[in-house]
Amino acid sequence: MKQLICFLLLFFVPEMRSFDLVIEEIPDELFNLEVDGFLSKPVTRHGRYQRSTLNDEDSGESVEGDDKISIYSYKVRSTITSRLVNTMIQSKVENKAKHSQNLVFDVQIPKGAFIHNFTMNINGITFTSSIRERSAARQQYAQARAKGKAAGIVRSSALDTENFKAELNVPGGMKVQFEIHYQEAIRRKLGSYEYIIPLQPGRLAKHLEVDVRIIEPQGLRYVHVPNSLGDHFAGITTISKGEKKAHVSFKPTVAQQRKCPTCSATAVDGNFVVMYDVQREPKAGELEIFNGYFIHYFAPENLDPLPKNILFVIDVSGSMWGLKMKQTVEAMKTILGDLRPEDQFSIVDFNHNVRSWRDDLVAATPSQTEDAKKYIQEIHPTGGTNINEALLRAIFILKEASNLKMLDPNSVSMIVLVSDGDPTVGELKLTTIQKNVKQNIPEDVSLFSLGIGFDVDYDFLERLAHENHGMAQRIFGSQETSSQMKKFYNQVSTPLLKKVEINYPQGSVSDVTQNSFHNYFGGSEIVVAGKVDSNNVQHLQSLITATAANAEIVLETLADVEGLDEFLKKEEHADPKFTEKLWAYLTINQLMAERNLAPTAALKRNITRSILQMSLDHHIVTPFTAMLIENPEGDERMLADSPKDQKRGCCSGTLSVAPNNLDKSIPSWAKPTPTSERLLSARQAPTMSAIKQHINTVDNDPHFIIYLQKSQENICFNIDSEPGDILNLVSDPESGVLVNGQLIGAKKREDKKLATYFGKIGFYFKHKGLKVEISTETITLKDGSYSTGLSWSDTGSIIRKRLLVSVKKDSSVTITVDTEISFLVLLHRVWKNHPVNVDFLGIYIPPTNWFSSSAHGLIGQFMSEPEVRIYNERPGRDPKKPEATMEVKGHKLTVTSGLQKDYRTDQVFGTNVHCWFVHNSGKGFIDGHYKDYIVPHLYRFLRNP
């Protein structure tokens, strides 16, 4: 049976909400197909599969890479109907090699967009999707898996972009088509609508096409496609624009896709951007009514910006050192230069302490802004992170200014928080910080959050902003940090109106998503959607008023409903349900935000039920639904699931070839390799290199396997200690790395001997202040009083301070530190009522780990390899276990040839590894006595090794 696997790469890359499709198995029938083009008729055993419509497209120029992978076509087709975008991304791929290869389909999706369909065509068999309540879908998935049918799972984590990634192990000669559909509402920013398509096919494509249709009943003012992919593609995009619709087409040939005339790499790698705006009459809003729903766009223009009172709260802790601080300083210098003379401002910077550039607000005069730039320039990041006190200081400054009547009544006040980390000093509990801010911040002050880098708890910053009338944005720590910060600031820095109330005629609408908005900012747009009472359409079209704290605006909304209806029905590319879809999209997003802020569990449950029902009604994947992917007969199933939020995301490149492995978050040395036979004699047993890579192991009783690179030998020993003892495995005070394991005993003795195993393993990374504790029940990461964790029933990851903990459900945990050190822990489960055995852990440590020369411990001491000589091999008491003499550390030891188990390749039976066994708990091979390695608690370094 062939394997079809897909996974999420969770390592130091921009964080994304990640959908990871893992397909355990596809049926044999899919591999009994005639392969003569994408339109291939399957040869079925039971007549279960239907013919596909996957057509083979051809062009004259070859795009086949050295790996024999070809993209026949890569297409993006989008339809924008009154700001609602439906996007389809389709990729047709063939593996022309004679051997199987892992093909990765990877697309980035804007945060807030909803996936509503995904299909795969595997050599003529089409798998389609449906949206189900999550528990029901999981049950159907479990039933399919129990019967040996196809099954899979998708994960998500709430970050800045969604990443849908599928990896398939595709046999030679097989063809695959992926197709994903999602929808989003594009928002008006800085005077225009911007639709962004991440265009990263990963390699040359015979047919590459981006096709965007724009239908705007309000009328199009302009359509512009900036040269965002680079000068290489200048002049290739075509734009056709009419009064109310436009067509954008981008079709580079294979020659145009090449980075250079002789290059095999593609130059298509970036964002394809379409910008446009609609015609705007001298009124503040546009009302569109269609199919029982209304959409109201509210974007008043020609208003002078209001004065603003702004507090910049900047994290200057040690983690901001280097490029992040440099880019923050550059961005702040530009932002300070953009302040208007009528604005007032100050700066609060914080690490473990909190300082103010000025204790009160000052006018943004040239001399003051220059002085503030010098202050920012001289900051040197160091110390911890005291977010709570910093925000309370900023709030205090604004409240004092208000009490002293220093603020213009028509001005707006805001706080901009810039941070790259979680709190480590002062108040550490995130919910308490939220409560403190909410209780102290005035109602008319908005809080904006900029989260920089990979470690920041973006969910916390987002909740903090949304609770206080603001918004949040992830700023990736890179060369683009400065421009990203400036772009975000430009979006929120020109307030036009204060609190806005839109008043609809009574009795004309229902289920309105929102009708009040706080701090309307320039260049933006307020969108309101709802259901229309059919008897009151004309009533709704009467005058609607919008009242703001500093102005009153009349919204003339005499939309031609019949004309809109006729126009949309004639336009073949328009989405006839755009009003309903946009209402559902806005409502679900609003409910998700309300759920995050719900003060009681009962209210949260009610909101969850509403989200679930709307998700099912409108075929949308949310955290409370799952996408069930099935063949036409419904007997082969995969599951696209989005359980609780997790951190980390991945990479670009829509099509790539990956090594045949399970999870790229697992280092290469830790990945399984198939073995042909489980039981071999000692002389035939594979060495560690036959498994995958030489490794140091402690597993089972606990049995140690130490690989000695110089002598190319594996040396084994067992530790016969007592349950409850804690053994030191690695103790390296210089690099600050500690690994200890606590023993548990079997349920009863066998042959007068009580077997012991590792029931808990503790990792301590002193220089980071992080502890990771792995038991047979949970995986916990601790940072001071902060603690977070996963259970073995999860598949997910935790990352903090460049330490990544990746959990593979009921299987393994991988810990990776700064890409230099990694560990693998395996979980061994036994039958719950087993009369003897218990659940236990095994640990695998590569000799390539970077430790200092002072490293010690039962494993750590062998990072500096001793000289070993093995000779005089002779028959032993057991004919199958020869003996030999080993010279090591001045000792002559009798060692026995035998087999131990490496469980990376097979967690049930293990793989036999030949080694020379040292008796008496490693006496003579390890330094001192094994009892010297017993420590008093799980995070104690070894003393005087």
Side-chain angles (χ1 to χ4, degrees):
M1 186 75 73
K2 305 291 185 179
Q3 291 292 320
L4 181 60
I5 303 171
C6 106
F7 60 86
L8 172 64
L9 173 57
L10 299 169
F11 202 48
F12 303 109
V13 288
E15 299 188 39
M16 292 171 268
R17 173 177 293 183
S18 303
F19 290 87
D20 176 18
L21 180 62
V22 181
I23 304 165
E24 297 290 347
E25 192 170 348
I26 23 181
D28 291 331
E29 286 87 342
L30 269 84
F31 297 93
N32 295 323
L33 305 176
E34 297 175 0
V35 183
D36 58 355
F38 278 104
L39 186 60
S40 59
K41 187 173 182 178
V43 180
T44 65
R45 296 178 181 176
H46 308 292
R48 294 185 298 169
Y49 299 112
Q50 62 186 14
R51 189 180 181 91
S52 168
T53 59
L54 192 60
N55 296 314
D56 190 359
E57 302 183 39
D58 198 10
S59 65
E61 190 168 358
S62 173
V63 295
E64 183 181 305
D66 294 338
D67 52 17
K68 302 293 184 181
I69 298 298
S70 293
I71 299 183
Y72 274 79
S73 71
Y74 182 82
K75 296 180 180 179
V76 180
R77 289 181 177 165
S78 303
T79 301
I80 305 174
T81 307
S82 194
R83 287 72 130 188
L84 178 71
V85 188
N86 287 293
T87 301
M88 180 275 291
I89 300 176
Q90 180 194 82
S91 183
K92 300 177 183 178
V93 188
E94 181 180 9
N95 176 18
K96 292 187 176 181
K98 294 181 180 179
H99 59 280
S100 64
Q101 299 190 75
N102 280 26
L103 304 186
V104 180
F105 174 70
D106 183 0
V107 293
Q108 293 182 15
I109 298 169
K111 179 176 174 138
F114 289 128
I115 295 172
H116 59 87
N117 194 18
F118 174 66
T119 62
M120 290 189 306
N121 187 296
I122 305 172
N123 234 43
I125 309 305
T126 299
F127 284 71
T128 58
S129 64
S130 60
I131 305 298
R132 310 286 176 88
E133 191 275 327
R134 189 168 67 180
S135 61
R138 283 182 167 181
Q139 184 177 6
Q140 289 177 296
Y141 159 77
Q143 291 171 351
R145 184 168 183 172
K147 294 177 182 178
K149 303 299 183 180
I153 194 164
V154 167
R155 299 282 176 184
S156 74
S157 57
L159 299 164
D160 287 54
T161 59
E162 295 176 339
N163 179 242
F164 188 100
K165 186 169 186 176
E167 180 179 326
L168 286 78
N169 186 273
V170 179
M174 179 167 280
K175 301 179 180 182
V176 179
Q177 174 181 298
F178 304 95
E179 188 171 302
I180 189 169
H181 296 251
Y182 64 90
Q183 66 184 37
E184 61 177 309
I186 53 175
R187 299 300 180 96
R188 193 165 186 258
K189 298 176 181 179
L190 303 178
S192 67
Y193 298 99
E194 183 180 72
Y195 172 48
I196 299 174
I197 303 171
L199 194 59
Q200 299 163 318
R203 59 180 62 216
L204 299 172
K206 282 189 178 182
H207 299 269
L208 189 144
E209 176 184 352
V210 177
D211 188 272
V212 180
R213 304 275 179 173
I214 305 173
I215 299 97
E216 287 289 353
Q218 194 169 333
L220 287 165
R221 189 157 65 92
Y222 67 84
V223 177
H224 172 58
V225 179
N227 198 18
S228 55
L229 290 173
D231 295 337
H232 189 89
F233 299 101
I236 296 178
T237 303
T238 61
I239 304 174
S240 302
K241 177 185 171 295
E243 181 185 354
K244 295 184 177 181
K245 57 184 180 179
H247 179 211
V248 175
S249 179
F250 176 71
K251 294 182 180 180
T253 64
V254 174
Q256 290 168 333
Q257 293 173 49
R258 296 185 189 276
K259 281 190 173 181
C260 66
T262 59
C263 293
S264 60
T266 180
V268 183
D269 185 12
N271 290 331
F272 186 85
V273 180
V274 178
M275 302 177 69
Y276 73 93
D277 199 12
V278 297
Q279 296 289 355
R280 298 184 185 277
E281 302 295 332
K283 58 186 180 183
E286 175 73 15
L287 184 72
E288 295 177 357
I289 306 171
F290 191 63
N291 281 349
Y293 294 84
F294 79 91
I295 305 294
H296 190 181
Y297 298 101
F298 177 68
E301 293 187 331
N302 304 317
L303 295 175
D304 293 329
L306 298 175
K308 59 181 176 288
N309 317 299
I310 183 167
L311 260 295
F312 298 100
V313 181
I314 303 172
D315 184 347
V316 296
S317 61
S319 57
M320 287 286 288
W321 185 86
L323 181 61
K324 285 190 284 189
M325 194 67 229
K326 180 181 178 182
Q327 294 290 337
T328 300
V329 169
E330 291 304 310
M332 283 301 304
K333 288 165 69 175
T334 302
I335 290 169
L336 290 169
D338 289 341
L339 292 174
R340 298 159 60 91
E342 60 269 28
D343 296 334
Q344 297 187 90
F345 78 104
S346 188
I347 298 169
V348 173
D349 62 294
F350 68 97
N351 46 28
H352 50 285
N353 295 317
V354 178
R355 293 164 298 279
S356 302
W357 168 66
R358 295 286 187 270
D359 289 332
D360 51 15
L361 293 171
V362 299
T365 63
S367 61
Q368 295 284 21
T369 54
E370 283 301 314
D371 189 57
K373 290 177 186 179
K374 292 178 183 177
Y375 178 81
I376 292 289
Q377 186 73 49
E378 294 173 359
I379 290 175
H380 299 288
T382 184
T385 307
N386 193 342
I387 292 178
N388 184 69
E389 187 178 338
L391 288 174
L392 293 181
R393 176 78 63 87
I395 293 169
F396 175 79
I397 292 173
L398 282 172
K399 290 170 75 171
E400 283 291 289
S402 178
N403 293 337
L404 295 173
K405 310 298 183 184
M406 295 173 58
L407 306 183
D408 185 326
N410 283 332
S411 66
V412 294
S413 298
M414 63 184 77
I415 295 170
V416 177
L417 169 65
V418 181
S419 179
D420 81 328
D422 295 331
T424 61
V425 177
E427 179 56 60
L428 302 178
K429 193 173 182 180
L430 302 184
T431 54
T432 302
I433 296 175
Q434 286 177 244
K435 182 179 179 181
N436 291 343
V437 171
K438 186 65 176 175
Q439 287 179 343
N440 286 278
I441 195 168
E443 178 64 23
D444 59 351
V445 174
S446 296
L447 171 63
F448 299 91
S449 300
L450 283 168
I452 298 181
F454 305 127
D455 295 350
V456 66
D457 189 333
Y458 181 69
D459 290 343
F460 162 65
L461 293 183
E462 191 173 43
R463 290 193 301 270
L464 203 59
H466 287 172
E467 276 188 325
N468 298 289
H469 317 299
M471 57 188 290
Q473 183 165 317
R474 160 77 72 183
I475 301 294
F476 302 123
S478 67
Q479 295 290 343
E480 300 299 319
T481 297
S482 178
S483 62
Q484 292 176 63
M485 286 182 64
K486 287 183 284 188
K487 184 176 180 180
F488 175 79
Y489 176 76
N490 288 338
Q491 292 176 23
V492 303
S493 63
T494 53
L496 301 178
L497 297 172
K498 296 188 76 171
K499 189 172 183 180
V500 178
E501 296 283 349
I502 301 178
N503 306 299
Y504 297 99
Q506 187 174 3
S508 60
V509 300
S510 62
D511 293 336
V512 178
T513 55
Q514 285 201 42
N515 59 12
S516 70
F517 307 88
H518 188 81
N519 283 6
Y520 174 80
F521 294 90
S524 301
E525 182 175 51
I526 293 171
V527 183
V528 184
K531 295 180 181 178
V532 181
D533 186 330
S534 58
N535 297 321
N536 289 298
V537 171
Q538 297 301 322
H539 192 199
L540 177 59
Q541 288 179 272
S542 62
L543 291 181
I544 296 172
T545 61
T547 305
N550 60 314
E552 181 168 319
I553 301 169
V554 175
L555 308 182
E556 299 182 16
T557 56
L558 302 177
D560 183 356
V561 178
E562 293 182 2
L564 175 64
D565 184 272
E566 183 179 353
F567 168 71
L568 291 174
K569 286 182 177 178
K570 287 182 178 179
E571 177 49 54
E572 62 174 318
H573 297 290
D575 184 348
K577 293 187 176 182
F578 83 95
T579 49
E580 179 183 353
K581 288 181 179 179
L582 188 53
W583 169 76
Y585 173 91
L586 295 173
T587 303
I588 289 176
N589 270 313
Q590 179 182 324
L591 288 170
M592 297 281 282
E594 290 178 1
R595 185 181 182 277
N596 287 337
L597 304 178
T600 65
L603 179 57
K604 181 171 287 191
R605 284 193 297 270
N606 289 336
I607 297 173
T608 300
R609 281 194 289 268
S610 298
I611 296 171
L612 172 60
Q613 191 58 53
M614 290 203 67
S615 302
L616 297 174
D617 291 344
H618 298 278
H619 202 266
I620 291 173
V621 177
T622 66
F624 311 106
T625 57
M627 181 184 289
L628 199 65
I629 303 167
E630 309 177 278
N631 72 315
E633 307 303 324
D635 57 0
E636 305 294 345
R637 292 172 179 154
M638 292 156 272
L639 183 68
D641 190 10
S642 54
K644 74 175 186 177
D645 288 346
Q646 299 160 7
K647 295 183 182 180
R648 296 316 306 158
C650 176
C651 24
S652 63
T654 302
L655 184 81
S656 59
V657 179
N660 293 329
N661 52 48
L662 291 178
D663 190 339
K664 282 190 175 180
S665 64
I666 300 177
S668 59
W669 61 266
K671 294 166 185 170
T673 301
T675 53
S676 57
E677 297 182 28
R678 290 194 179 100
L679 298 175
L680 300 173
S681 70
R683 307 314 292 168
Q684 294 176 316
T687 63
M688 292 299 277
S689 60
I691 294 175
K692 187 76 175 181
Q693 180 177 326
H694 302 294
I695 204 74
N696 296 316
T697 304
V698 193
D699 213 333
N700 217 320
D701 189 19
H703 293 288
F704 287 71
I705 303 176
I706 305 297
Y707 172 68
L708 301 178
Q709 186 172 1
K710 294 178 184 177
S711 57
Q712 297 286 296
E713 295 284 0
N714 296 303
I715 311 299
C716 301
F717 60 91
N718 194 19
I719 294 293
D720 295 320
S721 195
E722 297 297 323
D725 285 350
I726 299 173
L727 300 179
N728 174 250
L729 305 179
V730 178
S731 180
D732 188 1
E734 185 174 327
S735 66
V737 178
L738 172 73
V739 184
N740 289 331
Q742 186 169 30
L743 298 176
I744 56 173
K747 294 177 182 176
K748 66 178 183 179
R749 296 179 181 271
E750 286 192 329
D751 299 327
K752 299 182 179 180
K753 180 181 181 298
L754 181 67
T756 57
Y757 313 90
F758 282 138
K760 185 180 293 182
I761 299 176
F763 299 85
Y764 180 29
F765 303 96
K766 185 177 180 180
H767 298 336
K768 291 180 178 291
L770 299 178
K771 297 176 181 177
V772 179
E773 186 171 304
I774 302 175
S775 71
T776 56
E777 301 299 327
T778 59
I779 303 95
T780 306
L781 184 146
K782 300 177 181 179
D783 184 357
S785 61
Y786 171 88
S787 179
T788 186
L790 294 168
S791 74
W792 283 103
S793 61
D794 295 320
T795 291
S797 298
I798 307 168
I799 186 166
R800 197 171 179 88
K801 299 179 181 178
R802 292 182 61 83
L803 183 146
L804 174 69
V805 181
S806 296
V807 181
K808 189 171 184 292
K809 182 179 178 180
D810 292 327
S811 176
S812 63
V813 174
T814 308
I815 299 173
T816 310
V817 189
D818 295 327
T819 72
E820 295 177 340
I821 298 176
S822 52
F823 304 91
L824 174 70
V825 176
L826 294 184
L827 173 67
H828 297 275
R829 290 282 193 213
V830 299
W831 171 44
K832 184 177 181 181
N833 296 319
H834 195 288
V836 178
N837 295 337
V838 293
D839 294 347
F840 65 94
L841 305 172
I843 182 169
Y844 295 75
I845 305 175
T848 54
N849 269 355
W850 187 90
F851 296 124
S852 75
S853 58
S854 62
H856 212 268
L858 287 168
I859 291 179
Q861 64 185 288
F862 297 106
M863 298 301 169
S864 299
E865 184 177 324
E867 294 290 337
V868 170
R869 178 174 171 239
I870 299 175
Y871 61 94
N872 189 24
E873 185 174 340
R874 54 196 181 269
R877 295 180 182 178
D878 185 336
K880 295 181 180 180
K881 296 181 179 180
E883 292 181 349
T885 300
M886 180 171 75
E887 291 186 359
V888 59
K889 300 180 180 179
H891 305 287
K892 284 187 178 182
L893 309 174
T894 297
V895 292
T896 303
S897 177
L899 297 175
Q900 293 298 337
K901 297 287 189 180
D902 183 306
Y903 290 94
R904 288 177 296 158
T905 61
D906 187 330
Q907 278 187 248
V908 178
F909 297 98
T911 301
N912 289 316
V913 176
H914 174 257
C915 66
W916 291 101
F917 190 83
V918 180
H919 302 273
N920 300 319
S921 295
K923 184 177 181 181
F925 180 61
I926 64 174
D927 293 339
H929 193 273
Y930 81 87
K931 291 186 177 180
D932 298 336
Y933 299 88
I934 297 176
V935 292
H937 63 74
L938 204 57
Y939 301 107
R940 173 66 62 86
F941 280 88
L942 199 61
R943 290 188 177 180
N944 302 319

